[in-house]
Amino acid sequence: MGIIEWVTTIFLLAGAFFFFAGTLGLLRFPDVYNRLHALTKADNVGLGLITIGLMLQVDNWVLALKLLLIWFLVLLTSATAAHLIANAALRGGLPLWRRP
Amino acid sequence: MQQPIFSDELTWRDRLRYALLRLPLFALLWWILIEGKLAGWWYGIPVILLAVLVSLLLLPAPRQPRPLMGTVRFVGFFLWESLRGGIDVALRAINPRLPLNPDLIDYSLRLPEGNARIVLMNTISLLPGTLSANLRDDCLQVHTLDDNPQTMQSLEQVETVVAQLFGIDI
């Protein structure tokens, strides 16, 4: 493997770690609000790292821009979706988990 | 009474100017989507023109010109802080003791109504430990993973950076 392949591998593995941690948070965190933190923030970083890793592998640099665009759109939708879910939960009167 | 399709705040000259400014942006977007291939332009051109028209209907004009330095600062701030946010929540999720001390705090917005607020709310949701939960009048309810006094400061800092992005004085 060349140096680029190694760097790509490191970025992809780091990205996968953040997806793993985000999923762990989704399962372990006590209520919907905390779970939203885990999903939006960890997955955002995970996808960003995977995007960088894949950008190093493209042979047409327009494709690199397309990957960046995909990351940006996912960012926008996940932040919006997280707000909408938190907002619906709050308006629906779902109580917050607090440390006992 | 029927709403006019175009609001009356802008002259047609201004609209034309904004259309000409946005045209290359949408063309660039299309070029990226078709990965630089030439064949996509046949149906691309009508799609680009339609996108410019829709964007003028939905977002008639920026209130102030965007300062370049504000944009650069925002992008840098956002990338660094969202990386920190991801690392922070990942460490909490894998920590066996699950260090969470959540709370819901009220934050009084200084930004005026409009797009700047929407950008602020989305940015807050991607930064360490904060999530925009509800907006009522000028009060934003923010859910925090770890209730501590620094949260208010960092919210004020985000708001300042977003204000600079939009060229607004707060």
Side-chain angles (χ1 to χ4, degrees), chain B residues 83-95:
Chain B
L83 178 64
R84 276 188 53 214
I87 293 172
D88 171 70
V89 84
L91 291 179
R92 287 175 200 275
I94 58 174
N95 189 321

Side-chain angles (χ1 to χ4, degrees), chain B residues 74-85:
Chain B
F74 175 81
V75 172
F77 175 85
F78 178 81
L79 288 178
W80 174 244
E81 290 294 313
S82 63
L83 178 64
R84 276 188 53 214

Side-chain angles (χ1 to χ4, degrees), chain B residues 57-165:
Chain B
L57 289 172
L58 293 176
L59 194 71
R63 284 194 181 80
Q64 276 121 335
R66 298 275 177 85
L68 182 66
M69 266 320 287
T71 310
V72 171
R73 194 171 300 147
F74 175 81
V75 172
F77 175 85
F78 178 81
L79 288 178
W80 174 244
E81 290 294 313
S82 63
L83 178 64
R84 276 188 53 214
I87 293 172
D88 171 70
V89 84
L91 291 179
R92 287 175 200 275
I94 58 174
N95 189 321
R97 286 184 294 112
L98 208 64
L100 295 173
N101 186 20
D103 199 3
L104 200 63
I105 59 174
D106 288 337
Y107 181 71
S108 299
L109 291 172
R110 295 170 290 168
L111 283 174
E113 276 177 46
N115 290 327
R117 273 192 185 179
I118 297 172
V119 170
L120 174 68
M121 286 165 68
N122 274 344
T123 309
I124 285 175
S125 294
L126 291 165
L127 298 195
T130 52
L131 177 73
S132 302
N134 192 25
L135 177 68
R136 199 174 37 214
D137 300 323
D138 290 332
C139 177
L140 183 65
Q141 285 183 296
V142 179
H143 183 267
T144 62
L145 277 183
D146 200 346
D147 177 38
N148 66 55
Q150 283 164 9
T151 308
M152 274 294 171
Q153 278 173 18
S154 61
L155 287 176
E156 279 166 16
Q157 195 193 359
V158 189
E159 195 175 26
T160 307
V161 175
V162 173
Q164 285 168 348
L165 170 70

Side-chain angles (χ1 to χ4, degrees), chain A residues 56-71:
Chain A
L56 296 171
Q57 294 296 320
V58 297
D59 34 43
N60 177 357
W61 64 274
V62 189
L63 209 58
L65 288 176
K66 195 175 183 178
L67 288 168
L68 264 187
L69 186 68
I70 292 169
W71 178 57

